[in-house]
Amino acid sequence: SLLGTLPDWTRLSAFLPPGWRGSGLKARSAIASTFVATLELAKAGEIELRQDGVFDPIRVDCTGCSKKC
């Protein structure tokens, strides 16, 4: 299991390191690198991604994926 146990549809921002959240350059870098990693996991079928609207948060889930998290 790459991600351990996840609640259903966890916000992508929940995976950021504790001191890296906010709106500065450090936070934007953390969000970008975490997003790229989630795209790779989604491509491999490990997770699913969802975004309900244009500027809504991106959410991560492993329900229904080929392998359980």
Side-chain angles (χ1 to χ4, degrees), residues 6-16 21 34 38 49-50 55-61:
L6 286 177
D8 290 343
W9 297 108
T10 303
R11 290 179 112 167
L12 181 65
S13 60
F15 296 98
L16 299 179
R21 296 178 186 147
T34 303
T38 60
L49 299 175
R50 177 175 82 191
F55 293 104
D56 287 348
I58 296 170
R59 298 186 180 274
V60 179
D61 191 33

Side-chain angles (χ1 to χ4, degrees), residues 7-68:
D8 290 343
W9 297 108
T10 303
R11 290 179 112 167
L12 181 65
S13 60
F15 296 98
L16 299 179
W20 290 56
R21 296 178 186 147
S23 60
L25 181 61
K26 190 174 175 181
R28 289 194 311 262
S29 175
I31 290 168
S33 59
T34 303
F35 180 62
V36 170
T38 60
L39 288 177
E40 288 297 321
L41 289 170
K43 181 178 168 184
E46 299 289 330
I47 62 172
E48 294 179 18
L49 299 175
R50 177 175 82 191
Q51 185 179 26
D52 295 329
V54 178
F55 293 104
D56 287 348
I58 296 170
R59 298 186 180 274
V60 179
D61 191 33
C62 61
T63 305
C65 295
S66 61
K67 297 179 184 175
K68 281 298 198 187

